[in-house]
Amino acid sequence: MGTDHTPKIVGTVWGLLVLNTLGSAGAKTIVPLPRSLIQMVTMGALVAAFALALAVNLRLRIRASAFLLLLTLLLVASVISSADLESGFGALFRCARLALFVGTLWLLSRWWDGDLTFVRHHIRMYFAVLGSVAAGLVVSPGAAMPELYGGRLVGALWPLTPPQIGQYAAVITGLTVLLVLGRRTDRVSAAVVIVPSLVLLALTHTRTATLGLLIGLALAIGSLVLTSAAARRFFGWAVLCATVAAVGFASALQAWFLRGQSKENFSNLTGRAKVWDALLAAPRTTSEKLFGVGLGDKSFGGLPIDNSWLAVYNEQGLIGVTLVAAIVIVLGGVALLRPPSLSRACAIFLISYCAIASYTEAGLGDASPYLLHLTVAASLLAAPAAATPRSTPDAPRRRVPRWALRSEVT
């Protein structure tokens, strides 16, 4: 299994999973797209991903994985919480979607061996998504930066919100920087990805993605400092530049960070804290505390929850929160126990980014880009399977003439 070459179709499957997790809610697009059509495309992508993964792994060869086992248990908890239809039939539909998502990941686990294959797939697919965002900005700047979102960048061709775009830009920027430090890509190719991604990230004014990128990179590069001279140089220059920027551009950075909000609005996280307080204060039965109310649209009282832990608590209860926490802790623990390497650094970046973003973004308890990020981390932390030695056939015996076998008498 460890010596199997990863088929190109695996990259196609990963791209379909990325398409499925883009979602159907967001800004108004240049060409109006009915939500039902978008949902049909995204669900069709997931069904196609599962079918292709099954076709390329007909023998159902999988790798044991604590990450996938915990995800499967989370799926079971989701089905239990959704069975009484408290959240409507949509909850069962979301459970079916999560089942196909987890099943596809199980089928892909055959090719998890600690290499950078899925990192490259991840970068390519999300760079393509960002390409569509950039194209929408060029075609219609007004639609791409509407006043409804405070002039922040949105998806004008596919409905994407500023936090989504910021997340994709931050993740592929961080991974590409690590590939450069590990000398797994050249600087020109890296610049083609990093420069436009940072520009789009700046246009989204997404604070969570920016902090996740900076802190995640600091932790990831810190794990390489003792073994990589390139990492030490980059870390030194980064600290120097950050210090200069903090001193010389403090007011500009503060203005960008506040996004024109008052300090009161900033302190309650743009109204998120009010939703969180209402969610925690709502009366719940013992069953709802343990299992939640079933998979929903990550909202409470018609407002987005925007916190992975509270969204999981609302929909999958304390059991769901425990399982999601176990996923993050297990991945983080395995990453800390691995010897320093580029794969480990990429995994640390993805895990830390998801942990930071979970405070103001929902998604850890359902099929989402955050679960895809953690899946890439799990593939990076998988120990390479021992190569099965090929059985060499016995060399054909050479035919010896009968006369040569006679002992010669002198």
Coordinates of all heavy atoms in Angstrom, one line a residue, residues 172-252:
I172 N -3.8 28.5 1.7 CA -2.9 28.1 0.6 C -1.6 29.0 0.7 O -0.5 28.6 0.3 CB -3.5 28.2 -0.8 CG1 -3.8 29.7 -1.2 CG2 -4.7 27.3 -0.8 CD1 -4.3 29.8 -2.6
T173 N -1.7 30.2 1.2 CA -0.5 31.0 1.4 C 0.4 30.4 2.4 O 1.6 30.3 2.2 CB -0.9 32.5 1.9 OG1 -1.6 33.1 0.9 CG2 0.4 33.3 2.2
G174 N -0.1 30.0 3.6 CA 0.7 29.3 4.6 C 1.3 28.0 4.1 O 2.5 27.8 4.3
L175 N 0.6 27.2 3.4 CA 1.1 25.9 2.9 C 2.2 26.2 1.9 O 3.2 25.5 1.8 CB 0.0 25.1 2.3 CG -1.0 24.5 3.3 CD1 -2.1 23.8 2.6 CD2 -0.3 23.6 4.3
T176 N 2.0 27.2 1.0 CA 3.0 27.5 -0.1 C 4.3 28.0 0.6 O 5.4 27.6 0.1 CB 2.4 28.5 -1.1 OG1 1.2 28.0 -1.6 CG2 3.4 28.6 -2.2
V177 N 4.2 28.9 1.6 CA 5.4 29.3 2.2 C 6.2 28.2 2.8 O 7.4 28.1 2.7 CB 5.0 30.3 3.4 CG1 6.2 30.6 4.3 CG2 4.5 31.6 2.8
L178 N 5.5 27.2 3.4 CA 6.2 26.1 4.0 C 6.8 25.2 2.9 O 7.9 24.7 3.1 CB 5.2 25.2 4.8 CG 4.7 25.9 6.1 CD1 3.6 25.1 6.8 CD2 5.8 26.2 7.1
L179 N 6.2 25.1 1.8 CA 6.8 24.3 0.7 C 8.0 25.0 0.2 O 9.0 24.3 -0.2 CB 5.8 24.2 -0.5 CG 4.6 23.3 -0.3 CD1 3.7 23.2 -1.5 CD2 5.0 21.9 0.2
V180 N 8.1 26.3 0.1 CA 9.3 27.0 -0.3 C 10.4 26.8 0.7 O 11.5 26.5 0.3 CB 9.0 28.5 -0.4 CG1 10.3 29.3 -0.7 CG2 8.0 28.8 -1.6
L181 N 10.1 26.9 2.0 CA 11.1 26.7 3.0 C 11.6 25.2 3.0 O 12.8 25.0 3.3 CB 10.5 27.0 4.4 CG 10.1 28.4 4.7 CD1 9.6 28.6 6.1 CD2 11.3 29.3 4.5
G182 N 10.8 24.3 2.6 CA 11.2 22.9 2.5 C 11.8 22.6 1.2 O 12.1 21.4 0.9
R183 N 11.9 23.6 0.3 CA 12.5 23.4 -1.0 C 11.8 22.4 -1.8 O 12.3 21.6 -2.6 CB 14.0 23.0 -0.9 CG 14.8 24.1 -0.3 CD 16.3 23.7 -0.2 NE 17.1 24.8 0.4 CZ 18.4 24.7 0.6 NH1 19.0 23.6 0.3 NH2 19.0 25.7 1.2
R184 N 10.4 22.4 -1.7 CA 9.6 21.5 -2.5 C 8.9 22.2 -3.6 O 8.1 21.6 -4.4 CB 8.5 20.8 -1.6 CG 9.1 20.0 -0.5 CD 9.9 18.9 -1.0 NE 10.5 18.0 0.0 CZ 9.9 17.0 0.6 NH1 8.7 16.6 0.1 NH2 10.5 16.3 1.5
T185 N 9.2 23.5 -3.8 CA 8.7 24.2 -4.9 C 9.7 25.4 -5.2 O 10.4 25.8 -4.2 CB 7.3 24.7 -4.7 OG1 6.8 25.3 -5.9 CG2 7.2 25.8 -3.6
D186 N 9.7 25.9 -6.4 CA 10.6 27.0 -6.7 C 9.9 28.4 -6.3 O 8.7 28.4 -6.1 CB 11.0 27.1 -8.1 CG 9.8 27.2 -9.0 OD1 9.2 26.1 -9.4 OD2 9.4 28.3 -9.4
R187 N 10.7 29.4 -6.2 CA 10.2 30.7 -5.7 C 9.2 31.4 -6.7 O 8.3 32.0 -6.2 CB 11.4 31.6 -5.4 CG 12.2 31.1 -4.2 CD 13.3 32.1 -3.9 NE 14.2 31.6 -2.8 CZ 15.2 32.3 -2.2 NH1 15.5 33.5 -2.7 NH2 15.9 31.8 -1.3
V188 N 9.5 31.2 -7.9 CA 8.6 31.8 -8.9 C 7.2 31.2 -8.8 O 6.2 31.9 -8.8 CB 9.2 31.6 -10.4 CG1 8.2 32.1 -11.4 CG2 10.5 32.3 -10.5
S189 N 7.1 29.9 -8.8 CA 5.8 29.2 -8.7 C 5.1 29.6 -7.4 O 3.9 29.8 -7.3 CB 6.0 27.7 -8.7 OG 6.6 27.3 -9.9
A190 N 5.9 29.7 -6.3 CA 5.4 30.1 -5.0 C 4.8 31.5 -5.0 O 3.7 31.8 -4.5 CB 6.4 30.0 -3.9
A191 N 5.6 32.4 -5.7 CA 5.1 33.8 -5.8 C 3.8 33.9 -6.6 O 2.9 34.8 -6.2 CB 6.2 34.7 -6.5
V192 N 3.6 33.1 -7.6 CA 2.4 33.1 -8.4 C 1.2 32.8 -7.5 O 0.1 33.3 -7.7 CB 2.5 32.1 -9.5 CG1 1.1 31.9 -10.2 CG2 3.5 32.5 -10.5
V193 N 1.4 32.0 -6.4 CA 0.3 31.6 -5.5 C 0.2 32.6 -4.4 O -0.9 33.1 -4.1 CB 0.5 30.2 -5.0 CG1 -0.5 29.9 -3.9 CG2 0.5 29.2 -6.1
I194 N 1.3 33.0 -3.8 CA 1.3 33.8 -2.6 C 0.9 35.2 -2.8 O 0.0 35.7 -2.1 CB 2.7 33.7 -1.9 CG1 3.0 32.3 -1.4 CG2 2.8 34.7 -0.7 CD1 4.4 32.1 -0.9
V195 N 1.4 35.9 -3.8 CA 1.2 37.3 -4.0 C -0.3 37.6 -4.3 O -0.9 38.4 -3.5 CB 2.1 37.9 -5.1 CG1 1.7 39.3 -5.5 CG2 3.5 37.8 -4.8
P196 N -0.9 36.9 -5.2 CA -2.4 37.2 -5.4 C -3.2 36.8 -4.2 O -4.2 37.4 -3.9 CB -2.7 36.5 -6.7 CG -1.7 35.5 -6.9 CD -0.4 36.0 -6.3
S197 N -2.8 35.7 -3.6 CA -3.6 35.3 -2.4 C -3.6 36.3 -1.3 O -4.6 36.6 -0.7 CB -3.1 33.9 -1.9 OG -3.2 32.9 -2.9
L198 N -2.4 36.9 -1.0 CA -2.3 37.9 0.0 C -3.1 39.2 -0.4 O -3.7 39.8 0.5 CB -0.8 38.3 0.2 CG 0.0 37.2 1.0 CD1 1.4 37.7 1.1 CD2 -0.6 37.0 2.4
V199 N -3.1 39.5 -1.7 CA -3.9 40.6 -2.1 C -5.4 40.4 -1.9 O -6.1 41.3 -1.3 CB -3.6 40.9 -3.6 CG1 -4.6 42.0 -4.1 CG2 -2.2 41.4 -3.8
L200 N -5.9 39.2 -2.2 CA -7.3 38.9 -2.0 C -7.6 38.8 -0.5 O -8.7 39.3 -0.1 CB -7.6 37.6 -2.7 CG -7.5 37.5 -4.2 CD1 -7.9 36.1 -4.7 CD2 -8.4 38.6 -4.8
L201 N -6.7 38.3 0.3 CA -6.9 38.3 1.7 C -7.0 39.7 2.3 O -7.9 40.0 3.1 CB -5.7 37.6 2.4 CG -5.7 37.5 3.9 CD1 -6.9 36.9 4.5 CD2 -4.4 36.8 4.5
A202 N -6.1 40.6 1.8 CA -6.2 42.0 2.3 C -7.5 42.6 1.9 O -8.1 43.4 2.7 CB -5.0 42.8 1.7
L203 N -8.0 42.3 0.7 CA -9.3 42.9 0.2 C -10.5 42.4 1.0 O -11.6 43.0 1.0 CB -9.5 42.7 -1.3 CG -8.5 43.4 -2.2 CD1 -8.7 43.0 -3.6 CD2 -8.6 44.9 -2.0
T204 N -10.4 41.2 1.6 CA -11.5 40.7 2.4 C -11.6 41.3 3.7 O -12.7 41.2 4.4 CB -11.4 39.1 2.5 OG1 -10.2 38.8 3.3 CG2 -11.4 38.4 1.2
H205 N -10.5 41.9 4.2 CA -10.5 42.4 5.6 C -10.9 41.4 6.6 O -11.7 41.7 7.6 CB -11.4 43.6 5.7 CG -10.8 44.9 5.2 ND1 -10.9 46.1 5.7 CD2 -9.9 45.1 4.1 CE1 -10.3 47.1 5.1 NE2 -9.7 46.4 4.1
T206 N -10.4 40.2 6.5 CA -10.8 39.1 7.4 C -9.8 38.9 8.5 O -8.7 38.5 8.2 CB -10.9 37.7 6.6 OG1 -11.8 37.9 5.5 CG2 -11.5 36.7 7.5
R207 N -10.2 39.3 9.7 CA -9.2 39.3 10.8 C -8.9 37.9 11.2 O -7.7 37.6 11.5 CB -9.8 40.1 12.0 CG -10.0 41.6 11.6 CD -10.7 42.3 12.8 NE -12.1 41.9 12.9 CZ -13.1 42.7 13.2 NH1 -12.9 44.0 13.2 NH2 -14.3 42.3 13.3
T208 N -9.9 37.0 11.3 CA -9.7 35.7 11.7 C -8.7 34.9 10.8 O -7.7 34.3 11.3 CB -11.0 34.9 11.8 OG1 -11.9 35.5 12.7 CG2 -10.7 33.4 12.2
A209 N -8.8 35.1 9.5 CA -7.9 34.4 8.6 C -6.5 35.0 8.7 O -5.5 34.2 8.6 CB -8.4 34.6 7.1
T210 N -6.4 36.3 8.9 CA -5.1 36.9 9.0 C -4.4 36.4 10.3 O -3.2 36.1 10.2 CB -5.2 38.5 9.0 OG1 -5.9 38.9 7.9 CG2 -3.9 39.1 9.1
L211 N -5.1 36.4 11.4 CA -4.5 35.9 12.6 C -4.1 34.5 12.5 O -3.1 34.0 13.0 CB -5.4 36.2 13.8 CG -5.6 37.6 14.3 CD1 -6.6 37.7 15.4 CD2 -4.2 38.2 14.8
G212 N -5.0 33.7 11.9 CA -4.7 32.3 11.7 C -3.5 32.0 10.9 O -2.7 31.1 11.2
L213 N -3.4 32.8 9.8 CA -2.2 32.7 9.0 C -0.9 33.0 9.8 O 0.1 32.2 9.7 CB -2.3 33.6 7.8 CG -1.1 33.7 6.9 CD1 -0.7 32.4 6.2 CD2 -1.3 34.8 5.8
L214 N -0.9 34.1 10.5 CA 0.3 34.6 11.2 C 0.7 33.6 12.3 O 1.8 33.2 12.4 CB 0.1 36.0 11.7 CG -0.1 37.1 10.6 CD1 -0.4 38.4 11.3 CD2 1.1 37.2 9.7
I215 N -0.3 33.3 13.1 CA 0.0 32.4 14.3 C 0.3 31.0 13.8 O 1.2 30.3 14.3 CB -1.2 32.4 15.3 CG1 -1.4 33.8 15.8 CG2 -0.9 31.4 16.4 CD1 -2.6 33.9 16.7
G216 N -0.5 30.5 12.8 CA -0.2 29.1 12.3 C 1.2 29.0 11.7 O 1.9 28.0 11.9
L217 N 1.6 30.0 10.9 CA 2.9 30.0 10.3 C 4.0 30.1 11.4 O 5.0 29.4 11.3 CB 3.1 31.2 9.3 CG 2.7 30.9 7.9 CD1 3.0 32.1 7.0 CD2 3.5 29.7 7.3
A218 N 3.8 30.9 12.4 CA 4.8 31.0 13.5 C 5.0 29.7 14.2 O 6.1 29.3 14.4 CB 4.3 32.1 14.5
L219 N 3.9 29.0 14.4 CA 4.0 27.7 15.1 C 4.7 26.6 14.2 O 5.5 25.8 14.6 CB 2.7 27.2 15.5 CG 2.0 28.0 16.6 CD1 0.6 27.5 16.9 CD2 2.8 28.0 17.9
A220 N 4.3 26.7 12.9 CA 4.8 25.7 11.9 C 6.3 25.9 11.7 O 7.1 25.0 11.7 CB 4.0 25.8 10.6
I221 N 6.7 27.2 11.5 CA 8.1 27.5 11.2 C 8.9 27.2 12.5 O 10.0 26.8 12.4 CB 8.2 28.9 10.7 CG1 7.5 29.1 9.3 CG2 9.7 29.3 10.5 CD1 7.5 30.5 8.8
G222 N 8.3 27.5 13.6 CA 9.0 27.3 14.9 C 9.3 25.8 15.0 O 10.4 25.5 15.6
S223 N 8.5 24.9 14.5 CA 8.8 23.5 14.6 C 9.9 23.1 13.7 O 10.5 22.0 13.8 CB 7.5 22.7 14.2 OG 7.2 22.8 12.8
L224 N 10.3 24.0 12.7 CA 11.4 23.6 11.8 C 12.7 24.4 12.1 O 13.8 24.1 11.5 CB 11.0 24.0 10.4 CG 9.9 23.2 9.7 CD1 9.5 23.9 8.4 CD2 10.3 21.8 9.5
V225 N 12.7 25.3 13.1 CA 13.8 26.2 13.4 C 15.1 25.4 13.7 O 16.2 25.7 13.3 CB 13.5 27.2 14.5 CG1 14.7 27.8 15.1 CG2 12.5 28.2 14.0
L226 N 14.9 24.3 14.5 CA 16.1 23.6 14.9 C 16.7 22.7 13.8 O 17.9 22.3 14.0 CB 15.7 22.7 16.1 CG 15.3 23.4 17.4 CD1 14.9 22.4 18.5 CD2 16.4 24.3 17.9
T227 N 16.0 22.4 12.8 CA 16.5 21.5 11.7 C 16.6 22.2 10.4 O 17.2 21.5 9.5 CB 15.6 20.3 11.6 OG1 14.2 20.8 11.3 CG2 15.5 19.5 12.9
S228 N 16.2 23.4 10.2 CA 16.2 24.0 8.9 C 16.8 25.4 9.0 O 16.3 26.3 9.7 CB 14.8 24.1 8.3 OG 14.8 24.9 7.1
A229 N 17.9 25.7 8.3 CA 18.5 27.0 8.2 C 17.6 28.0 7.5 O 17.5 29.2 7.9 CB 19.9 26.9 7.5
A230 N 16.9 27.5 6.5 CA 16.0 28.4 5.7 C 14.9 28.9 6.7 O 14.4 30.0 6.6 CB 15.4 27.7 4.5
A231 N 14.4 28.0 7.5 CA 13.3 28.3 8.4 C 13.8 29.4 9.4 O 13.1 30.3 9.8 CB 12.8 27.1 9.2
R232 N 15.1 29.2 9.9 CA 15.6 30.2 10.9 C 15.8 31.5 10.2 O 15.5 32.6 10.8 CB 17.0 29.7 11.4 CG 16.9 28.5 12.3 CD 18.2 28.2 13.0 NE 19.2 27.7 12.1 CZ 19.4 26.5 11.8 NH1 18.6 25.5 12.3 NH2 20.4 26.1 10.9
R233 N 16.2 31.6 9.0 CA 16.4 32.9 8.3 C 15.0 33.5 8.1 O 14.8 34.7 8.3 CB 17.1 32.7 6.9 CG 18.6 32.4 7.1 CD 19.2 32.5 5.7 NE 18.7 31.6 4.7 CZ 19.1 30.4 4.5 NH1 20.2 29.9 5.2 NH2 18.6 29.6 3.6
F234 N 14.0 32.7 7.6 CA 12.7 33.3 7.4 C 12.1 33.8 8.7 O 11.5 34.9 8.7 CB 11.8 32.2 6.8 CG 10.4 32.7 6.4 CD1 10.2 33.3 5.1 CD2 9.4 32.7 7.3 CE1 8.9 33.7 4.8 CE2 8.1 33.1 6.9 CZ 7.9 33.7 5.7
F235 N 12.3 33.0 9.7 CA 11.7 33.4 11.0 C 12.3 34.7 11.5 O 11.6 35.6 12.0 CB 11.9 32.3 12.1 CG 11.2 32.5 13.3 CD1 9.8 32.1 13.4 CD2 11.8 33.0 14.5 CE1 9.1 32.3 14.6 CE2 11.1 33.2 15.6 CZ 9.7 32.8 15.7
G236 N 13.6 34.9 11.4 CA 14.3 36.1 11.8 C 13.8 37.3 11.0 O 13.5 38.4 11.6
W237 N 13.7 37.2 9.7 CA 13.3 38.3 8.8 C 11.8 38.6 9.1 O 11.4 39.8 9.1 CB 13.4 37.9 7.4 CG 14.8 38.2 6.8 CD1 15.8 37.2 6.5 CD2 15.4 39.4 6.6 NE1 16.9 37.8 6.1 CE2 16.8 39.2 6.1 CE3 15.0 40.7 6.7 CZ2 17.6 40.2 5.8 CZ3 15.9 41.8 6.4 CH2 17.2 41.5 5.9
A238 N 11.0 37.6 9.4 CA 9.6 37.8 9.7 C 9.4 38.6 11.0 O 8.6 39.5 11.0 CB 8.8 36.5 9.8
V239 N 10.2 38.3 12.0 CA 10.1 39.0 13.3 C 10.6 40.4 13.1 O 9.9 41.4 13.6 CB 11.0 38.3 14.3 CG1 11.1 39.2 15.6 CG2 10.4 36.9 14.7
L240 N 11.6 40.6 12.3 CA 12.1 42.0 12.0 C 11.1 42.8 11.3 O 10.8 44.0 11.6 CB 13.4 41.9 11.2 CG 14.0 43.3 10.8 CD1 14.4 44.1 12.0 CD2 15.2 43.1 9.9
C241 N 10.5 42.3 10.2 CA 9.5 43.0 9.4 C 8.2 43.3 10.3 O 7.6 44.3 10.2 CB 9.1 42.2 8.2 SG 10.4 42.0 7.0
A242 N 7.8 42.3 11.1 CA 6.6 42.5 11.9 C 6.9 43.6 12.9 O 6.0 44.4 13.2 CB 6.3 41.2 12.7
T243 N 8.1 43.7 13.5 CA 8.4 44.7 14.4 C 8.4 46.1 13.8 O 7.8 47.1 14.3 CB 9.8 44.5 15.0 OG1 9.8 43.2 15.7 CG2 10.1 45.6 16.1
V244 N 9.0 46.2 12.6 CA 9.0 47.5 11.8 C 7.6 47.9 11.5 O 7.2 49.1 11.6 CB 9.8 47.4 10.6 CG1 9.7 48.6 9.7 CG2 11.3 47.1 10.9
A245 N 6.7 46.9 11.0 CA 5.4 47.2 10.6 C 4.5 47.7 11.8 O 3.7 48.6 11.8 CB 4.7 46.0 10.0
A246 N 4.8 47.0 13.0 CA 4.0 47.4 14.2 C 4.3 48.8 14.7 O 3.5 49.5 15.2 CB 4.3 46.4 15.3
V247 N 5.6 49.2 14.5 CA 6.0 50.5 14.9 C 5.7 51.6 13.9 O 5.1 52.7 14.3 CB 7.5 50.5 15.2 CG1 8.0 52.0 15.6 CG2 7.9 49.6 16.4
G248 N 6.0 51.3 12.7 CA 5.8 52.4 11.6 C 4.4 52.5 11.1 O 4.0 53.6 10.6
F249 N 3.6 51.4 11.1 CA 2.3 51.4 10.5 C 1.2 51.1 11.5 O 0.2 50.4 11.1 CB 2.2 50.5 9.3 CG 3.3 50.8 8.3 CD1 4.5 50.1 8.2 CD2 3.1 51.8 7.3 CE1 5.4 50.3 7.3 CE2 4.0 52.0 6.3 CZ 5.2 51.3 6.3
A250 N 1.4 51.4 12.8 CA 0.5 51.0 13.8 C -0.9 51.5 13.6 O -1.9 50.8 13.7 CB 1.0 51.4 15.2
S251 N -1.0 52.8 13.2 CA -2.4 53.4 13.0 C -3.1 52.8 11.8 O -4.3 52.5 11.8 CB -2.2 54.9 12.8 OG -1.4 55.2 11.7
A252 N -2.3 52.6 10.7 CA -2.9 52.0 9.5 C -3.4 50.5 9.8 O -4.5 50.1 9.4 CB -1.9 52.0 8.3

